[in-house]
Every structure is written in C-alpha cells, then in structure tokens.
Amino acid sequence: VVADTRDPNTFYAVWLEYLSGLVDGTGTNTIYMSKSTDGARTWSTATPVQTFLPLPSHFPRQAFRNLTIPILAVGNHSELYLTYADYNTAPLPGDEDGMQADIKLTRSLDGGSTWSAPVKVNQDTTNADQFQQYIRVTPHGQLNVEFFDRRLDRPDPPRHPGNFFIDTWLAR
C-alpha cells in the first residue's frame, strides 16, 4: 500500500493473483490494483494491471528462493509507477531453461484507471537474469529502479556457466 503524494486520503494497493494461471495452465500471474479515496475506509473493486509469466521459485543451479513481487511508487504529480520481474524467452541459445528474467515498468497517469504497455528497465541483450527490484521516486521527481543483475557474470565454459553471481544495478 502506498499513499498518494498530493491527497492524504488516497491510497493504492497492488498484489499478485496466481490461481487463475494455475487453473488455466498458462502459469501466468496477474497484478491487481485497488484504490481508496477516503483514508482507507473503503476500497475500489480490484482491477487488473498486467498479466505476465512470473519467475520460477528457484533459477537453474540456484538454492535461494525468488519471488515476483509488484512494487508500486507514486510520483510528485500523483502518477503511479509499477515494477515487477517478468520471465521471458531467453534471447540467446544455450540458457539452461530457455528463459530469462527482466524488470518491467508500467505507469498510470490517471490514478490507476489505465496503464501504459510495460517496458523493460534493464537494457542488456544477454541471457542474464534481473530480479528482486525496488522502485522509488525522489522528492525532485526522479524515478529510480534498483534490481539484482547478473549481466557481468559472463560464461567461461566449461569452468563457469555464467549468470550466477549478482550485482546491484540502478536505472534512472
């Protein structure tokens, strides 16, 4: 839940719905949003924002758990920014599962009624995974998206498969 920057009585909540993707066999998740304009006493009907393929619970060769969590931020003019990690077909051959994680960003300029098409935040063209993002709008209106990124961990076969070690990146 995040508060609006201009109206102290307006709040926004986002969450993942995953059951429908299990039932219909697509494996997709849908991010939903609800809005309150009366100090969180009542909330609007949940509306879908984006449907996408979430990250697996574990990447290949990994032991730590991954979560696809939508993160919402409100800008200085009440614009909404939503980030999430999307699992896409890997752009290059040779990936263990043929998939690759990217950070996506979508925005709303009308209080969540409509949303832009998602854009990829990380600008690499490799099979490296980007995940576990966070978003923040500074008091001066600068949008910052931070995320884990593996693009600098290059493969060195047969000694090292790459896409294992993690760096933290910031996109503005």
Side-chain angles (χ1 to χ4, degrees), residues 58-82:
H58 296 83
F59 286 125
R61 303 182 330 271
Q62 302 296 306
F64 67 88
R65 234 176 74 182
N66 292 309
L67 297 171
T68 297
I69 301 174
I71 306 291
L72 183 68
V74 181
N76 297 345
H77 303 288
S78 297
E79 69 272 25
L80 303 176
Y81 298 97
L82 176 70

Side-chain angles (χ1 to χ4, degrees), residues 6-158:
R6 291 185 157 195
D7 180 358
N9 290 312
T10 299
F11 296 90
Y12 306 93
V14 293
W15 64 93
L16 282 181
E17 183 278 325
Y18 61 89
L19 183 60
S20 62
L22 293 174
V23 171
D24 69 15
T26 63
T28 60
N29 284 186
T30 299
I31 299 171
Y32 279 87
M33 189 202 86
S34 185
K35 177 180 178 178
S36 174
T37 57
D38 61 7
R41 287 190 283 285
T42 61
W43 291 85
S44 67
T45 301
T47 57
V49 176
Q50 296 292 335
T51 298
F52 64 99
L53 192 60
L55 303 184
S57 61
H58 296 83
F59 286 125
R61 303 182 330 271
Q62 302 296 306
F64 67 88
R65 234 176 74 182
N66 292 309
L67 297 171
T68 297
I69 301 174
I71 306 291
L72 183 68
V74 181
N76 297 345
H77 303 288
S78 297
E79 69 272 25
L80 303 176
Y81 298 97
L82 176 70
T83 60
Y84 57 95
D86 191 7
Y87 214 42
N88 305 289
T89 302
L92 303 172
D95 194 82
E96 291 87 357
D97 65 356
M99 302 295 284
Q100 180 256 340
D102 285 318
I103 303 301
K104 300 288 178 73
L105 170 73
T106 182
R107 73 177 182 164
S108 174
L109 300 176
D110 58 10
S113 295
T114 61
W115 292 85
S116 68
V119 295
K120 186 171 94 166
V121 173
N122 52 286
Q123 297 301 312
D124 72 310
T125 57
T126 69
N127 287 354
D129 294 311
Q130 290 80 29
F131 54 102
Q132 294 186 8
Q133 82 292 347
Y134 190 78
I135 187 169
R136 175 90 166 103
V137 181
T138 69
H140 297 290
Q142 179 176 292
L143 180 65
N144 294 327
V145 181
E146 182 182 62
F147 51 93
F148 288 156
D149 194 321
R150 294 182 165 159
R151 76 179 83 179
L152 298 180
D153 187 25
R154 305 272 182 203
D156 184 16

